[in-house]
Amino acid sequence: MPVVARIKKKSDTFGNLIEDPALLLSVVVIWAFLGLFVIWPLAKILFMAFSDAGRLSLTGVGAILSKKYTWVAARNSILLGALVGFCGTALGFFFAFTAVRANLSKGWSRLLDWVIILPLISPPFTMAITIIFSFGPRGLITHDLLGMDHFRVYGMWSTLFAETITYFPIAYITLKGILAGIDPTVEDMAFSLGSSRWQVFRKVTLPLSTPGLANSFLLLFAASLADFATPLILAGNRFPVLPTEAFLQITGLFDLKGGAVLSSVLLVPSFTVFLLQRYWVARRNYVTITGKSGSQTKFKSVGNITKYFFLLICVLTALFILYFYVLLLYASLVDAFGAGNQRITLNNYRMILTSGRMAIADTLLIAYVGMLLGCLFGVVVGYITAKKKYFSRKLMEFVAMINYALPGTIVGIAFLITFNNRPLVLTGTALIIILCNVSKYGAYGIRSTVAILQQIHPSIEEASQSLGATSTLTFRRITIPLILPGLFSGLGVVFIRSMTAISATIFLVSLNWTLITVRILENMTELHLGVAAAFSVFVVVVVFVVTTGISFFLKMLRQPGGMRVTSLFGS
């Protein structure tokens, strides 16, 4: 009987495709997209790494792996990722615990949220730039305030600091949701049995937060592995990592095969982290959520004195982060920051609006088109994988998340190798950048759409179809209004990532199409620090305005009984 049931179930999944032409068309189009822009590029980069003259060969891999710097870079990448994961998760947990358990007012919570979110809406190397402004050889703190000449800020510790500040908001957002989902009555029961606050934290709160902590660690580890711009600016030759070595192998030595081999080495820890992260996410629902209480009580985990002490630490950290952005603004408004000429001027902004006008126009156009296509991709894939039953549904969801999980360096090199020759030549066009962004960042829309669809009872759509509505009509009139928060969230995140990302797209820009983030990196390497700061401030302002606008619409679009989504990043 079990065998017969499995056969019947499989035939039902094929039958669903045949009976629903819209579903069949969606599945075919999505698989065609995934085959062209996920599976094919990944296969091409692996084939280039493990072949020679069209035949399977380990010669190229052996030549790269036999070099000491490859293993040094691999060790450094894993070490840096682990340290960023640990430090960022610890800092994010402290902020999340304070925000949720200290019963802060809405004003304090919103203030912390907006300051903490700044690193996520900035180019990933913004913190690296401001660290040089503060602690570099002519830095505001090291040179101007402390009188230290030729202070060397470059190396592992500065890179660790920059990446921790940049990525700990990811842990904060993840853990804030986990902590808020723990019923306060669970802790109240422990208090009623005579437990102290420390015992409740150690034996109740922390164990229930473990899946979220593990998930945050893996997310930050993956983010550090994917970051090549921060180590490129701050680590340099003193602390080589795999993403920067792969980038330099291609742009410096013009060795595509060497870059493919290094990317394949980076693929191993990245894919391992991806699988582990999916495992922890799957476990989350079974470990951390308890039954709802009849009436919500205030958390009693933090006493009044401890509350203000924790809040003081959070405020000081937030002010420290805010200092870096104020310094960035100041550097963009002076003639030559760090060179003695501190005259206030708008020349840097005139520069970006004249010589940088092409980069601004290209970036906004690419971000806008990518936002629309990425949103469409995320909502359609999220809907058909969460609500429809058909053959290859789970596989589709898995494949759709691969580019999101891989470091941008791998995705960018794979696109460069794949679409630089026939039969499909896309290099030098805006389309290759847009498709790269959609395939990588459209996954945010998938995740938010699936999360919201899980709260829509199947009977709502079944009632529509029982009244004679087709699946397309039901999707348009019933489902779309209910998943508008996921749709807008996908719109916003793809736009933000298209504006701020560099690790993948730096391999795909050309003389005809360039990006603001690439221009920032170019100005940094040419020591045009004021122009780089002005570009960075422009990106932060644009993204902040878009984020604020979409967050406002997210609040307005909440459907009765639906999930309350108020943040583009999952809060």
Side-chain angles (χ1 to χ4, degrees), residues 430-454:
L431 187 59
I432 190 173
I433 303 175
I434 293 170
L435 292 171
C436 179
N437 287 337
V438 170
S439 69
K440 184 165 177 61
Y441 303 118
Y444 287 97
I446 298 174
R447 293 173 67 189
S448 58
T449 300
V450 169
I452 294 175
L453 284 172
Q454 287 174 346

Side-chain angles (χ1 to χ4, degrees), residues 156-174:
M156 186 192 78
W157 296 110
S158 59
T159 308
L160 170 62
F161 176 79
E163 289 193 354
T164 298
I165 297 298
T166 300
Y167 298 122
F168 95 89
I170 298 174
Y172 167 74
I173 291 167
T174 303

Side-chain angles (χ1 to χ4, degrees), residues 13 16-17 23 27 384-385 388-393 396:
T13 58
N16 290 338
L17 287 174
L23 176 61
V27 170
I384 65 176
T385 55
K388 299 295 182 180
K389 293 182 180 180
Y390 57 91
F391 179 68
S392 75
R393 178 171 63 96
M396 175 184 287

Side-chain angles (χ1 to χ4, degrees), residues 465-476:
Q465 293 176 0
S466 68
L467 293 173
T470 62
S471 60
T472 305
L473 185 62
T474 300
F475 177 73
R476 181 164 56 88

Side-chain angles (χ1 to χ4, degrees), residues 76-99:
N76 291 345
S77 294
I78 294 173
L79 174 63
L80 180 64
L83 289 174
V84 170
F86 177 79
C87 297
T89 299
L91 186 59
F93 181 78
F94 181 82
F95 268 78
F97 186 81
T98 303

Side-chain angles (χ1 to χ4, degrees), residues 115-194:
V115 175
I116 291 171
I117 220 72
L118 278 174
L120 287 183
I121 63 173
S122 312
F125 43 78
T126 300
M127 197 56 59
I129 296 173
T130 54
I131 285 175
I132 292 177
F133 287 164
S134 298
F135 305 107
R138 304 286 294 181
L140 177 65
I141 294 177
T142 51
H143 182 270
D144 294 349
L145 295 182
L146 301 179
M148 302 170 66
D149 292 326
H150 309 295
F151 181 80
R152 293 190 65 84
V153 71
Y154 307 100
M156 186 192 78
W157 296 110
S158 59
T159 308
L160 170 62
F161 176 79
E163 289 193 354
T164 298
I165 297 298
T166 300
Y167 298 122
F168 95 89
I170 298 174
Y172 167 74
I173 291 167
T174 303
L175 292 167
K176 189 177 179 182
I178 293 290
L179 288 169
I182 299 174
D183 197 327
T185 56
V186 176
E187 296 176 348
D188 287 345
M189 287 186 288
F191 283 125
S192 67
L193 294 174

Side-chain angles (χ1 to χ4, degrees), residues 178-223:
I178 293 290
L179 288 169
I182 299 174
D183 197 327
T185 56
V186 176
E187 296 176 348
D188 287 345
M189 287 186 288
F191 283 125
S192 67
L193 294 174
S195 299
S196 65
R197 286 192 171 94
W198 168 247
Q199 288 174 323
V200 171
F201 172 78
R202 185 167 57 88
K203 294 184 178 181
V204 178
T205 309
L206 194 59
L208 289 176
S209 305
T210 299
L213 291 168
N215 190 29
S216 297
F217 175 85
L218 293 172
L219 286 171
L220 268 62
F221 185 90

